[in-house]
Amino acid sequence: LLSPEMAAASAIAGCLVDVRNWWIKRDNMEPFKKHTGSVAPLYQINIDTDQIIPKQFLKRIERTGFGEFAFFDWRYLEDGILNPDFILNDSKYKKASILVSGRNFGSGSSREHAPWALYEMGFKVIIAPSFADIFRNNCMQNGLLTIVLNGEIVDMIMGKSTKSSYKLTVDLQKQTIKDTEKFSTSFEGLNKSEIIAIIGNPSSLDSLNNSFI
């Protein structure tokens, strides 16, 4: 019989794996239980995976190197120069690790390259009112945390992030999001497989609140 941890890790990997080694070997993913990072806003709804990573970049054999092509058609002008009108090119978002966007984020094709590109662009957390199901599953399986929040809260976070350098702390154990300005909210909807994908080491589950399971 498989242990719950091995079953969860095998579900993520798509094959039978040894949980003692699997989490260490995942490509460039940095597991976390709590993350504090700068927020970058992307004011659009229905952002699909072709906009996140255009199809001409899907021919790469490696699972790495996609970050520079994320949002390519918006991010660059025709001559290859960074588009100054694209909000994520603003220097204050250069080190952002939390992306907040509109509803139905990640719609379109099921390409797993989309979360790879977003992660390599520097994002560890994506917040939106809703996600396309396949995209969300791909993100969670690749260590990119997706959080669904009420649209009004998302709008508030976007507004604060455009005015100055704005940071949030995401706590997986408490399932909360906080800033330094007394804002706090909770989130839910994570299962054991998804938690393992984010925290990395299955043994860390022992220290997490049972409400995750």
Side-chain angles (χ1 to χ4, degrees):
L1 295 177
L2 297 179
S3 68
E5 290 79 9
M6 182 173 287
S10 297
I12 296 169
C15 60
L16 187 63
V17 297
D18 184 339
V19 294
R20 293 169 297 180
N21 300 318
W22 171 80
W23 72 276
I24 299 173
K25 296 178 180 178
R26 305 189 63 225
D27 297 337
N28 300 320
M29 299 299 176
E30 298 179 6
F32 67 89
K33 294 181 186 178
K34 180 184 289 187
H35 174 71
T36 298
S38 297
V39 179
L42 192 53
Y43 284 92
Q44 279 188 257
I45 62 172
N46 300 318
I47 293 177
D48 63 39
T49 52
D50 190 53
Q51 292 165 324
I52 296 172
I53 181 71
K55 59 182 180 297
Q56 65 265 33
F57 303 113
L58 305 184
K59 299 178 181 179
R60 295 177 57 86
I61 298 175
E62 304 87 355
R63 290 182 53 165
T64 59
F66 292 96
E68 63 182 301
F69 307 121
F71 301 114
F72 187 86
D73 294 336
W74 298 340
R75 195 173 172 188
Y76 301 96
L77 300 175
E78 290 185 2
D79 57 4
I81 302 299
L82 288 174
N83 179 3
D85 295 327
F86 181 50
I87 192 165
L88 297 187
N89 285 338
D90 190 315
S91 59
K92 71 180 176 181
Y93 302 123
K94 186 176 181 180
K95 295 184 178 181
S97 58
I98 300 174
L99 179 66
V100 59
S101 192
R103 60 180 170 81
N104 198 31
F105 190 91
S107 57
S109 70
S110 61
R111 63 191 66 170
E112 198 171 13
H113 307 71
W116 297 346
L118 290 168
Y119 195 96
E120 288 196 352
M121 195 176 178
F123 296 114
K124 292 189 175 184
V125 180
I126 306 176
I127 298 171
S130 62
F131 294 90
D133 289 340
I134 295 176
F135 171 80
R136 181 183 179 278
N137 289 337
N138 284 339
C139 284
M140 300 299 288
Q141 290 172 8
N142 283 278
L144 181 58
L145 178 61
T146 57
I147 295 176
V148 174
L149 292 180
N150 177 281
E152 292 182 359
I153 295 177
V154 169
D155 289 342
M156 181 274 293
I157 292 173
M158 282 192 182
K160 288 190 174 185
S161 65
T162 58
K163 296 176 182 178
S164 61
S165 179
Y166 181 61
K167 290 187 176 183
L168 290 174
T169 295
V170 178
D171 190 321
L172 272 173
Q173 185 166 1
K174 296 179 180 179
Q175 300 184 75
T176 59
I177 300 175
K178 296 181 179 181
D179 65 11
T180 58
E181 303 171 10
K182 298 184 179 181
F183 162 73
S184 178
T185 190
S186 60
F187 62 91
E188 55 185 23
L190 300 181
N191 60 43
K192 179 178 282 190
S193 301
E194 294 168 338
I195 299 165
I196 290 177
I198 303 300
I199 67 174
N201 188 347
S203 64
S204 296
L205 281 174
D206 295 338
S207 64
L208 291 175
N209 189 299
N210 289 332
S211 63
F212 279 88
I213 309 305

